[in-house]
mmCIF file with all atom_site columns, all heavy atoms in Angstrom:
data_model
loop_
_atom_site.group_PDB
_atom_site.id
_atom_site.type_symbol
_atom_site.label_atom_id
_atom_site.label_alt_id
_atom_site.label_comp_id
_atom_site.label_asym_id
_atom_site.label_entity_id
_atom_site.label_seq_id
_atom_site.pdbx_PDB_ins_code
_atom_site.Cartn_x
_atom_site.Cartn_y
_atom_site.Cartn_z
_atom_site.occupancy
_atom_site.B_iso_or_equiv
_atom_site.pdbx_formal_charge
_atom_site.auth_seq_id
_atom_site.auth_comp_id
_atom_site.auth_asym_id
_atom_site.auth_atom_id
_atom_site.pdbx_PDB_model_num
ATOM   1  N  N   . MET A 1 10 ? 7.380  21.709 7.650  1.00 97.00 ? 10 MET A N   1
ATOM   2  C  CA  . MET A 1 10 ? 8.703  21.231 7.300  1.00 97.00 ? 10 MET A CA  1
ATOM   3  C  C   . MET A 1 10 ? 9.426  22.301 6.467  1.00 97.00 ? 10 MET A C   1
ATOM   4  O  O   . MET A 1 10 ? 8.877  22.745 5.440  1.00 97.00 ? 10 MET A O   1
ATOM   5  C  CB  . MET A 1 10 ? 8.628  19.933 6.492  1.00 97.00 ? 10 MET A CB  1
ATOM   6  C  CG  . MET A 1 10 ? 8.053  18.781 7.255  1.00 97.00 ? 10 MET A CG  1
ATOM   7  S  SD  . MET A 1 10 ? 8.223  17.227 6.337  1.00 97.00 ? 10 MET A SD  1
ATOM   8  C  CE  . MET A 1 10 ? 7.264  17.576 4.872  1.00 97.00 ? 10 MET A CE  1
ATOM   9  N  N   . THR A 1 11 ? 10.602 22.707 6.906  1.00 96.00 ? 11 THR A N   1
ATOM   10 C  CA  . THR A 1 11 ? 11.254 23.792 6.201  1.00 96.00 ? 11 THR A CA  1
ATOM   11 C  C   . THR A 1 11 ? 12.667 23.436 5.722  1.00 96.00 ? 11 THR A C   1
ATOM   12 O  O   . THR A 1 11 ? 13.220 24.129 4.875  1.00 96.00 ? 11 THR A O   1
ATOM   13 C  CB  . THR A 1 11 ? 11.360 25.037 7.085  1.00 96.00 ? 11 THR A CB  1
ATOM   14 O  OG1 . THR A 1 11 ? 11.986 24.663 8.306  1.00 96.00 ? 11 THR A OG1 1
ATOM   15 C  CG2 . THR A 1 11 ? 10.002 25.621 7.386  1.00 96.00 ? 11 THR A CG2 1
ATOM   16 N  N   . CYS A 1 12 ? 13.279 22.437 6.296  1.00 97.00 ? 12 CYS A N   1
ATOM   17 C  CA  . CYS A 1 12 ? 14.678 22.190 5.956  1.00 97.00 ? 12 CYS A CA  1
ATOM   18 C  C   . CYS A 1 12 ? 15.007 20.682 6.075  1.00 97.00 ? 12 CYS A C   1
ATOM   19 O  O   . CYS A 1 12 ? 14.159 19.861 6.366  1.00 97.00 ? 12 CYS A O   1
ATOM   20 C  CB  . CYS A 1 12 ? 15.592 22.988 6.887  1.00 97.00 ? 12 CYS A CB  1
ATOM   21 S  SG  . CYS A 1 12 ? 15.533 22.420 8.604  1.00 97.00 ? 12 CYS A SG  1
ATOM   22 N  N   . GLY A 1 13 ? 16.254 20.379 5.844  1.00 97.00 ? 13 GLY A N   1
ATOM   23 C  CA  . GLY A 1 13 ? 16.715 18.994 5.885  1.00 97.00 ? 13 GLY A CA  1
ATOM   24 C  C   . GLY A 1 13 ? 16.516 18.355 7.226  1.00 97.00 ? 13 GLY A C   1
ATOM   25 O  O   . GLY A 1 13 ? 16.275 17.151 7.328  1.00 97.00 ? 13 GLY A O   1
ATOM   26 N  N   . HIS A 1 14 ? 16.614 19.153 8.291  1.00 97.00 ? 14 HIS A N   1
ATOM   27 C  CA  . HIS A 1 14 ? 16.396 18.609 9.622  1.00 97.00 ? 14 HIS A CA  1
ATOM   28 C  C   . HIS A 1 14 ? 14.941 18.144 9.782  1.00 97.00 ? 14 HIS A C   1
ATOM   29 O  O   . HIS A 1 14 ? 14.672 17.051 10.309 1.00 97.00 ? 14 HIS A O   1
ATOM   30 C  CB  . HIS A 1 14 ? 16.716 19.661 10.699 1.00 97.00 ? 14 HIS A CB  1
ATOM   31 C  CG  . HIS A 1 14 ? 16.231 19.264 12.052 1.00 97.00 ? 14 HIS A CG  1
ATOM   32 N  ND1 . HIS A 1 14 ? 16.924 18.395 12.868 1.00 97.00 ? 14 HIS A ND1 1
ATOM   33 C  CD2 . HIS A 1 14 ? 15.107 19.574 12.709 1.00 97.00 ? 14 HIS A CD2 1
ATOM   34 C  CE1 . HIS A 1 14 ? 16.249 18.222 14.005 1.00 97.00 ? 14 HIS A CE1 1
ATOM   35 N  NE2 . HIS A 1 14 ? 15.133 18.924 13.927 1.00 97.00 ? 14 HIS A NE2 1
ATOM   36 N  N   . CYS A 1 15 ? 14.022 18.953 9.331  1.00 97.00 ? 15 CYS A N   1
ATOM   37 C  CA  . CYS A 1 15 ? 12.606 18.590 9.386  1.00 97.00 ? 15 CYS A CA  1
ATOM   38 C  C   . CYS A 1 15 ? 12.352 17.311 8.597  1.00 97.00 ? 15 CYS A C   1
ATOM   39 O  O   . CYS A 1 15 ? 11.636 16.413 9.042  1.00 97.00 ? 15 CYS A O   1
ATOM   40 C  CB  . CYS A 1 15 ? 11.746 19.706 8.797  1.00 97.00 ? 15 CYS A CB  1
ATOM   41 S  SG  . CYS A 1 15 ? 11.927 21.287 9.589  1.00 97.00 ? 15 CYS A SG  1
ATOM   42 N  N   . GLU A 1 16 ? 12.967 17.278 7.424  1.00 98.00 ? 16 GLU A N   1
ATOM   43 C  CA  . GLU A 1 16 ? 12.797 16.111 6.581  1.00 98.00 ? 16 GLU A CA  1
ATOM   44 C  C   . GLU A 1 16 ? 13.252 14.834 7.282  1.00 98.00 ? 16 GLU A C   1
ATOM   45 O  O   . GLU A 1 16 ? 12.566 13.817 7.275  1.00 98.00 ? 16 GLU A O   1
ATOM   46 C  CB  . GLU A 1 16 ? 13.607 16.338 5.290  1.00 98.00 ? 16 GLU A CB  1
ATOM   47 C  CG  . GLU A 1 16 ? 13.543 15.190 4.335  1.00 98.00 ? 16 GLU A CG  1
ATOM   48 C  CD  . GLU A 1 16 ? 14.282 15.458 3.015  1.00 98.00 ? 16 GLU A CD  1
ATOM   49 O  OE1 . GLU A 1 16 ? 14.520 16.650 2.687  1.00 98.00 ? 16 GLU A OE1 1
ATOM   50 O  OE2 . GLU A 1 16 ? 14.571 14.490 2.294  1.00 98.00 ? 16 GLU A OE2 1
ATOM   51 N  N   . TYR A 1 64 ? 5.212  18.557 13.920 1.00 97.00 ? 64 TYR A N   1
ATOM   52 C  CA  . TYR A 1 64 ? 4.706  19.004 12.611 1.00 97.00 ? 64 TYR A CA  1
ATOM   53 C  C   . TYR A 1 64 ? 3.219  18.700 12.502 1.00 97.00 ? 64 TYR A C   1
ATOM   54 O  O   . TYR A 1 64 ? 2.700  17.867 13.211 1.00 97.00 ? 64 TYR A O   1
ATOM   55 C  CB  . TYR A 1 64 ? 5.484  18.326 11.472 1.00 97.00 ? 64 TYR A CB  1
ATOM   56 C  CG  . TYR A 1 64 ? 6.973  18.593 11.606 1.00 97.00 ? 64 TYR A CG  1
ATOM   57 C  CD1 . TYR A 1 64 ? 7.804  17.637 12.184 1.00 97.00 ? 64 TYR A CD1 1
ATOM   58 C  CD2 . TYR A 1 64 ? 7.508  19.791 11.230 1.00 97.00 ? 64 TYR A CD2 1
ATOM   59 C  CE1 . TYR A 1 64 ? 9.140  17.872 12.360 1.00 97.00 ? 64 TYR A CE1 1
ATOM   60 C  CE2 . TYR A 1 64 ? 8.844  20.064 11.414 1.00 97.00 ? 64 TYR A CE2 1
ATOM   61 C  CZ  . TYR A 1 64 ? 9.688  19.090 11.972 1.00 97.00 ? 64 TYR A CZ  1
ATOM   62 O  OH  . TYR A 1 64 ? 10.990 19.353 12.169 1.00 97.00 ? 64 TYR A OH  1
HETATM 63 CU CU1 . CU  B 2 .  ? 13.794 22.161 9.571  1.00 86.09 ? 1  CU  B CU1 1
#
Side-chain angles (χ1 to χ4, degrees):
M10 295 189 298
T11 54
C12 68
H14 167 81
C15 302
E16 178 175 342
Y64 304 98

